[in-house]
Amino acid sequence: PFFFLCPDLERVYRQRTGATIPVEEHFGFADRMIGFLAGRHENPPDWAAFHPTPLAPGTTFNNYGVAHEPGGAEARHMTRMRHPLATADSLEQLQAYPWPDFSNLDTDSLQRRAEEIAAAGLLPEAHMACTVWETAWYIRGMEQLMLDMAMDDPKATFLLDIVTNHACRRAIAYARAGAEHIHLGDDVGTQHGLMMSTTMYREWLKPRLARVI
């Protein structure tokens, strides 16, 4: 078993336990992360240009240009997500987008970390949650991507394919670096079942996740 703590709960953990070691050591987790791989941009794009709505001060961007706007104190670590391709209305716009490069990923440091973890009798692992579906809708927006899928729009095929290809490259790199366990995950459900029909899931998402596996 394992879990992650948000910053507030990290403080609570330290206050209640008096621990000065990471939570995974305190609770004796059997696995450890070897690190994280992200695609590169030779020249970082001006991500704000892909967000027509003004962004709040302190906004950060991931390597796909997804914006995370900070909220007030009540929001704590939570942010408001902005989707850079939410208003794209042509396949050409997606094709011209500055996608990160996942070729020739440098895994030397990950391999060293995996060897250290294994030597300590623990399981080297890598995390790839938000594997296909979540990564894609973060970029396009959930409602818009679902509309694209329902209309069999080539934009949905292109976006899901490129995200799947990136996930496959990461999985291969993690495995070669020595990860014995790779976590995959996409929130495609609600409290009552899938958030889409099983037909749509089986057509659009299941085969792509199978490729990653």
Side-chain angles (χ1 to χ4, degrees), residues 58-97:
T59 295
T60 60
F61 303 92
N62 72 5
N63 65 329
Y64 283 104
V66 177
H68 290 273
E69 282 188 298
E74 295 82 1
R76 301 182 186 267
H77 67 285
M78 301 297 289
T79 60
R80 180 173 184 173
M81 193 185 304
R82 302 282 192 176
H83 318 292
L85 288 176
T87 60
D89 57 9
S90 71
L91 177 61
E92 289 73 23
Q93 285 175 281
L94 272 69
Q95 292 170 332
Y97 192 69

Side-chain angles (χ1 to χ4, degrees), residues 13-198:
Y13 150 69
R14 296 189 183 281
Q15 290 167 359
R16 293 190 179 181
T17 64
T20 57
I21 57 176
V23 65
E24 59 266 25
E25 294 182 27
H26 180 76
F27 288 103
F29 294 173
D31 46 11
R32 296 290 187 277
M33 282 186 63
I34 66 173
F36 182 75
L37 290 171
R40 302 180 308 276
H41 290 281
E42 205 165 304
N43 299 304
D46 176 14
W47 292 123
F50 294 92
H51 297 273
T53 304
L55 301 171
T59 295
T60 60
F61 303 92
N62 72 5
N63 65 329
Y64 283 104
V66 177
H68 290 273
E69 282 188 298
E74 295 82 1
R76 301 182 186 267
H77 67 285
M78 301 297 289
T79 60
R80 180 173 184 173
M81 193 185 304
R82 302 282 192 176
H83 318 292
L85 288 176
T87 60
D89 57 9
S90 71
L91 177 61
E92 289 73 23
Q93 285 175 281
L94 272 69
Q95 292 170 332
Y97 192 69
W99 299 102
D101 181 10
F102 282 83
S103 62
N104 301 315
L105 292 169
D106 184 1
T107 60
D108 288 349
S109 62
L110 272 65
Q111 185 171 349
R112 289 192 295 271
R113 177 61 179 151
E115 291 168 353
E116 292 171 1
I117 293 168
L122 299 168
L123 185 73
E125 70 170 11
H127 285 269
M128 281 183 49
C130 305
T131 312
V132 175
W133 168 239
E134 285 188 79
T135 297
W137 80 249
Y138 291 174
I139 298 167
R140 179 70 166 144
M142 184 185 289
E143 295 87 350
Q144 188 57 60
L145 181 53
M146 280 191 168
L147 283 171
D148 293 342
M149 292 157 63
M151 297 167 62
D152 203 20
D153 192 310
K155 293 193 289 296
T157 302
F158 178 87
L159 176 56
L160 289 167
D161 278 350
I162 199 166
V163 167
T164 300
N165 289 338
H166 291 171
C168 288
R169 286 180 178 272
R170 288 175 63 205
I172 291 167
Y174 281 134
R176 287 178 175 166
E180 297 282 347
H181 185 194
I182 298 178
H183 288 227
L184 306 179
D186 276 315
D187 288 340
V188 295
T190 70
Q191 288 85 348
H192 305 290
L194 282 171
M195 64 173 63
M196 61 188 72
S197 69
T198 53

